[in-house]
Amino acid sequence: MKKIVILFLSVAFSSLSAIAEPINQHGSKTLIVYFSQPEEVKLEGIDGVSGASILEKNSQILGSTQYLAQVIQRYTGGELFRIETVIPYPTQHEPLLRYAEQELRDNRHPELKAKIDNLADYDRIFIGYPIWWYKMPMPVYSFLQQHDLSGKTLIPFTSHGGSRFSDSLREIKRLQPDVQLITQGLAISRDDVADDSTVTRVSDWLNQLANMQQ
């Protein structure tokens, strides 16, 4: 298992408005929805292979998708919403893998802690998730089934172990046929999320999205 230790990353806040303005033009609001499951680990040895990968940021343990969501939030000024389940997932790596695999086999969509009641306020929604067993995690299915995102622009991002988005974009479109799905999503290997280059990659991706909208 590869140990991941993230170094302090400085964000060039002077460039935020240049990126955020095209993304949030015409007074629209941005929402960043994500599912991420950090595991309990010792700070001196951080592991994550097939499940929810993790990293250390200023002595805080974060899921890799959670960290990507936070970087996107810094650049866009969007609001964060974390998908959380009523029944918590195991926080140890191997039990989490087994639980997620069984959940997938049973096609079990877990109950979520909260639902977004003010979706009308948002025109653009970033949606982020890791890839578990070559699929979106089941809580993301729950979220997409419980919310009507018709007419909104949906922008996916993922941390993965080599399968990139796998079949998740097709599944999103199946569950939300009336969204404008941006297929040029951000897919970063969980082994690379901790790299210094991640902030630049997110920035470049957001600029590409902004240019698409002009």
Side-chain angles (χ1 to χ4, degrees), residues 53 64 158-162 164 187-194 198 201:
S53 59
S64 57
T158 185
S159 56
H160 63 90
R164 296 182 61 81
I188 298 183
S189 168
R190 60 172 168 259
D191 291 339
D192 297 334
V193 171
T198 291
R201 291 180 65 179

Side-chain angles (χ1 to χ4, degrees), residues 24 26-31 79 116-125 152:
N24 295 299
H26 307 308
S28 63
K29 293 180 65 176
T30 297
L31 180 66
E79 298 180 21
I116 301 172
D117 296 323
N118 62 330
L119 276 174
D121 294 345
Y122 306 100
D123 294 324
R124 296 174 181 84
I125 300 177
K152 301 186 184 301

Side-chain angles (χ1 to χ4, degrees), residues 98-147:
R98 291 193 297 269
Y99 188 95
E101 182 180 25
Q102 190 61 50
E103 190 175 56
L104 175 61
R105 288 178 177 177
D106 295 341
N107 195 30
R108 186 170 68 250
H109 300 170
E111 182 181 358
L112 303 183
K113 281 186 177 182
K115 185 177 180 180
I116 301 172
D117 296 323
N118 62 330
L119 276 174
D121 294 345
Y122 306 100
D123 294 324
R124 296 174 181 84
I125 300 177
F126 290 83
I127 183 164
Y129 46 87
I131 295 295
W132 285 3
W133 299 107
Y134 305 102
K135 304 286 287 186
M136 288 189 303
M138 290 294 104
V140 182
Y141 280 84
S142 297
F143 175 85
L144 292 172
Q145 289 173 331
Q146 293 177 16
H147 296 82

Side-chain angles (χ1 to χ4, degrees), residues 11 13 15-24 28-32 68-81 122 124 126 202 206:
V11 179
F13 286 99
S15 66
L16 299 192
S17 58
I19 298 171
E21 184 176 354
I23 292 292
N24 295 299
S28 63
K29 293 180 65 176
T30 297
L31 180 66
I32 304 157
L68 291 177
Q70 291 180 358
V71 176
I72 293 169
Q73 194 275 335
R74 292 176 193 170
Y75 277 96
T76 64
E79 298 180 21
L80 288 171
F81 178 84
Y122 306 100
R124 296 174 181 84
F126 290 83
V202 172
L206 291 172

